[in-house]
Structures are given as structure tokens and as C-alpha cells.
Amino acid sequence: MSQSRYDKIITARWIITVETDGEVLENHAIALKDGRIAAIIPATQAAALEADERVDLPNHALMPGLVNLHGHSAMTLLRGLADDKALMDWLTNHIWPAEGRHVRDDFVFDGSLLAMAEMIRGGTTTINDMYFYHGAVARAGLTSGMRTFVGCSILEFPTNYANNADDYLNKALAERRQYLGEELVSFTLAPHAPYTVSDDTFRKVVTLAEQEDMLIHCHIHESQDELNNSVKEHKQRPLARLKALGLLSPRLIAAHMVHLSEDEIELVARHGVSIGHNPASNMKLASGIAPIAKQLAAGINVGIGTDGAASNNKLDMLAETRLAALLAKVGSMDPTVVPAATAIRMATLNGANALGIGDKVGSVKVGKQADLIAIDLSEIETAPAFDPISHVVYAAGREQVSHVWVKGRALLNRRKLTTLDEAAIKANAEDWRNRILAK
Ligand SMILES: [Zn+2]
């Protein structure tokens, strides 16, 4: 081991591995080589190793980067534009009209960069996105250095981006072709929701996903209205319809999944579908409390997402993780469900598993890629520090995230963004505000 020279050695007071729930290594170091975790050793042995760079984190918890399993990055530019509305009113009277006026390639690029700057500052290393103008999202991902899953929205009705379902699909595939060689950028098929996508289109999506080996990302069982309308129109609940159409499989990441019967939880578990839980969005839009304690108990892989900044309004995965734990407890009237270690696993490894990259990232393990974050627990807000896992979930704020690495590359260093220009991003956001207000 001592013969080889490492790229970087990061020594930390605590390492939360997420390899097994609750595992914390105290005073250990991680040696990185070619973007991977090459060794995990006691800090006392790290001094003898040769490395190009050393990072000492004496008061920090080092852990896997957070995986945001459901978001619409570019919607940061609509943050706070319309609050306190019902989901359908919010969508049809506020969000869709504003998107119609402004959403083009430049809007999506600027909005995605703003979102990625915010997410990196909050410890997120992977985003599972869903929006339009996929080339713009991919370019933002490459600029920021985040691991980016570009969800290609598919709808029946026209937007600025495309005219009908086939048009959305064709454009998505054409844009995807240009990024096929990029390791940090992947494209997914994102039929928007059961109430905006026809049976025919869902069938095409399933066929295409299998042909091209792509994931499917869809909003499912988000609100009670969605279920009522489906029963009226299709004589069945959305999940039963999607099952008949062949959508339920390990390829599917179902965002929300708030309203599920016991039978539906069992069905989802049996088909290996992953769930992207969005506690803040579900609370703000009064969608309901997703039964995640039951989902987890049934063996479903549940990760956590922020949803878009227009319905949250923060892309703050630490806050979301805390809410996921708290909401599960009050939802089941049982304070023992979703303990802190489970919440951290949901926000990291479960998200990675949903995206099919759980063998590459999502935990601290020799051989995995170094998607890592450090959280400084020496602040007033996290004193005293008995248990770093408890603090990360229940006490720490995203302002305490000090470092972020993706594949060993620093994206945040002592709270400074290294790949993105903070001042330019803020100036662009102000510019968009003026354009949106001017109509
Ligand atoms: Zn969403």
C-alpha cells in the first residue's frame, strides 16, 4: 500500500459509511486514486501514505453524497412565483402559463445551473431530473460536475419543446445520442404522469426503455384527485392501469406515491419499483403523507427527492431527509420508524440503487467512486456531537456542508463553489426575474 501514491487523502473525525445502517468510523482516512476510494484506514496510518493533496476535516462527518431522486432543476427560476395553491390550480393557472412564456433552451440552462449551485452547496452529488430542453440540462450537468440524470418529459399536449408524445420521444432520443459517451450524464424516459399520458404512449415508453436500456421516471399516485379522476376515466386506479401497461418493473422510479393501499404497496414491492419520496412538496401542496414506513417494511427501495423549487421551495436534501424521518413518524404515530440511519440510507444508497448506480456510488466502500460530502459539526447548532448520524439528520443545516466531491473532483471546497460562478448565476437569476415580471 505504501508504494502507491494517492491523488488525495481525506481524514475525518467521523465517516458515515452507509455500508451497514449506523456504521461510523471514528478518526479514519479515505485515500482516493483516479476518482475512486482506494483505501479506508485509521487516521494514524494515513500520515505514512504519499498523496498529492491532503484534506483534514477534524470536526466533520464525511459521508456519501446525497442523491436527489426527484426534481425539476430549471424550475428554480419560478421559485416563489405562485405559492399556497392546490396542485391542479397551481399547475394549470400559474406554472404551465409561465412555462409557456419563458421555457426555452436558455431558461433551462440558466435555471439548471442555479439549481445545481444550490444543490452542491447543500451536499447533493446526483440529481434525477425531469424537464424539457434536455441538451441544456446535460450541459448544465457537465458544467457543474454533478452526476446528472436527464429525465425527458413526455406529455400528450404541446409545450414550447414539442407538439405531441411522439415528438417528445423523438427529440429526447436525438438529444440523448449526443451525450451517450458521458459518464456523468444519463438520460431517462419521463412520462409526466398517468393523467397527462395515454395508454399508447405508456406502451411506447415501455418498449423503448427495454430497447435502449433506459430508466423510467414518472409522477404516480401524488394526489387524491389523480386517483378519483383515473377511476372516472379509466375505471381503475393509476397503478392498476400502469401494471396492465407493463410499466411496473425495477426500471421505474415512481415519484410521490402518497396514496397507496396495502395491496398496492405489496404490488410495488413485488415488481421492484423504486419510490422517490418528496416530503416537503407533498406537505406544501397538501398531497398527503406517503406511507413510507410501510413501503420500507414491505421491502420497497425508497429514496428522497426535493421536487422542483416551485413546489418546495428549497432544493435542500438535508432538510428533506429530516422531514422524511419526521413525517414517517407522525404518519404512522410511531416514533421508532425511519430512524436516522435509515433516513441517511434513503438519501444516499437507496437513491443510487433506484438509478442503477448503487454498485458505483451511494456508500463509502473501497472500489466505489468518490462521491463524498463533508459536514462540519463544530457549529453551535450541532454542539455537543454525540452521534454524527443523529446530527446529520436532525440538527445540521445545509450551511454546514463544507466540501463536496464527485468522482474525487471537488465541486465545493470550504463552502466555495469550484466549478460554478456564483455571482454570474445570481445575476442571471435576477435577469430572469425581470423578464418573467415584464411578461
Ligand atoms: Zn415533480
Side-chain angles (χ1 to χ4, degrees):
M1 191 162 61
S2 55
Q3 292 97 316
S4 55
R5 186 177 181 86
Y6 295 101
D7 299 331
K8 204 184 312 252
I9 291 179
I10 309 170
T11 306
R13 170 82 183 273
W14 299 281
I15 298 175
I16 301 170
T17 67
V18 193
E19 268 298 291
T20 53
D21 275 4
E23 183 177 59
V24 176
L25 307 175
E26 211 167 335
N27 295 315
H28 271 63
I30 298 179
L32 307 188
K33 181 89 184 159
D34 300 327
R36 285 177 193 280
I37 298 169
I40 304 168
I41 46 171
T44 48
Q45 296 172 21
L49 301 181
E50 287 186 54
D52 293 339
E53 187 192 349
R54 286 177 191 276
V55 182
D56 287 320
L57 305 169
N59 308 302
H60 301 61
L62 185 64
M63 59 177 280
L66 303 168
V67 177
N68 186 345
L69 198 53
H70 177 67
H72 314 279
S73 292
M75 293 182 87
T76 41
L77 291 177
L78 304 174
R79 186 192 338 248
L81 184 67
D83 295 311
D84 313 320
K85 314 275 182 210
L87 174 66
M88 288 321 292
D89 174 28
W90 176 76
L91 273 177
T92 54
N93 298 322
H94 301 276
I95 296 304
W96 286 342
E99 287 182 330
R101 283 194 300 274
H102 299 288
V103 173
R104 308 256 178 335
D105 188 273
D106 54 351
F107 176 101
V108 174
F109 182 71
D110 291 346
S112 297
L113 273 194
L114 173 62
M116 288 171 184
E118 179 183 357
M119 285 191 277
I120 291 168
R121 281 160 56 90
T124 297
T125 51
T126 297
I127 169 67
N128 184 36
D129 203 67
M130 179 197 293
Y131 211 58
F132 309 101
Y133 297 94
H134 318 308
V137 182
R139 287 196 324 274
L142 290 172
T143 306
S144 71
M146 280 184 79
R147 214 174 276 278
T148 307
F149 286 77
V150 182
C152 303
S153 294
I154 298 152
L155 302 152
E156 299 301 331
F157 58 84
T159 60
N160 297 338
Y161 182 67
N163 295 317
N164 54 50
D166 284 339
D167 197 18
Y168 285 101
L169 275 169
N170 293 335
K171 284 183 172 153
L173 292 177
E175 297 213 68
R176 171 174 176 256
R177 249 170 253 132
Q178 300 176 30
Y179 296 91
L180 277 176
E182 294 291 349
E183 191 187 349
L184 295 181
V185 174
S186 308
F187 279 54
T188 71
L189 295 170
H192 171 262
Y195 57 93
T196 48
V197 177
S198 71
D199 287 3
D200 260 4
T201 302
F202 272 126
R203 281 192 203 96
K204 281 182 196 164
V205 166
V206 170
T207 306
L208 209 76
E210 280 165 15
Q211 273 170 9
E212 299 287 323
D213 193 17
M214 292 172 81
L215 297 168
I216 301 173
H217 180 192
C218 184
H219 298 95
I220 302 174
H221 282 221
E222 180 173 2
S223 70
Q224 193 60 53
D225 275 357
E226 174 191 339
L227 305 191
N228 298 344
N229 292 337
S230 176
V231 169
K232 255 186 243 160
E233 195 182 329
H234 301 281
K235 309 276 176 279
Q236 55 190 342
R237 285 158 69 96
L239 265 176
R241 181 175 155 233
L242 296 177
K243 177 180 184 291
L245 294 168
L247 232 86
L248 305 192
S249 80
R251 281 186 197 288
L252 178 63
I253 298 163
H256 297 297
M257 297 289 255
V258 176
H259 302 279
L260 297 183
S261 67
E262 306 277 340
D263 286 352
E264 284 167 337
I265 289 174
E266 205 274 316
L267 177 77
V268 167
R270 202 169 62 235
H271 285 83
V273 173
S274 286
I275 292 178
H277 174 47
N278 307 271
S281 171
N282 293 161
M283 291 167 80
K284 185 159 182 270
L285 293 168
S287 301
I289 301 176
I292 63 163
K294 284 184 184 171
Q295 294 167 357
L296 289 166
I300 299 173
N301 181 54
V302 184
I304 298 173
T306 57
D307 213 348
S311 66
N312 184 314
N313 299 352
K314 298 154 59 145
L315 308 183
D316 182 348
M317 277 294 292
L318 277 182
E320 216 67 32
T321 303
R322 179 173 191 267
L323 281 181
L326 299 185
L327 204 53
K329 294 173 196 304
V330 74
S332 54
M333 292 303 282
D334 180 354
T336 67
V337 300
V338 189
T342 302
I344 288 186
R345 176 163 48 79
M346 291 171 68
T348 55
L349 188 56
N350 286 13
N353 281 332
L355 293 164
I357 53 171
D359 57 336
K360 278 194 214 160
V361 297
S363 63
V364 178
K365 184 184 180 188
V366 170
K368 280 197 168 183
Q369 298 192 5
D371 286 21
L372 302 169
I373 63 172
I375 302 175
D376 184 353
L377 299 181
S378 67
E379 301 291 338
I380 283 284
E381 288 76 8
T382 40
F386 294 109
D387 175 0
I389 290 180
S390 166
H391 272 6
V392 166
V393 175
Y394 295 123
R398 61 178 167 180
E399 301 77 16
Q400 289 170 258
V401 173
S402 61
H403 296 73
V404 173
W405 295 271
V406 169
K407 233 190 139 193
R409 178 191 187 197
L411 308 187
L412 189 77
N413 184 18
R414 296 171 192 269
R415 294 264 341 124
K416 278 220 99 49
L417 291 166
T418 59
T419 54
L420 300 175
D421 182 341
E422 193 179 319
I425 287 171
K426 285 198 274 193
N428 262 343
E430 181 67 10
D431 213 45
W432 278 106
R433 173 187 176 274
N434 295 335
R435 276 196 246 179
I436 289 164
L437 287 178
K439 304 204 165 168

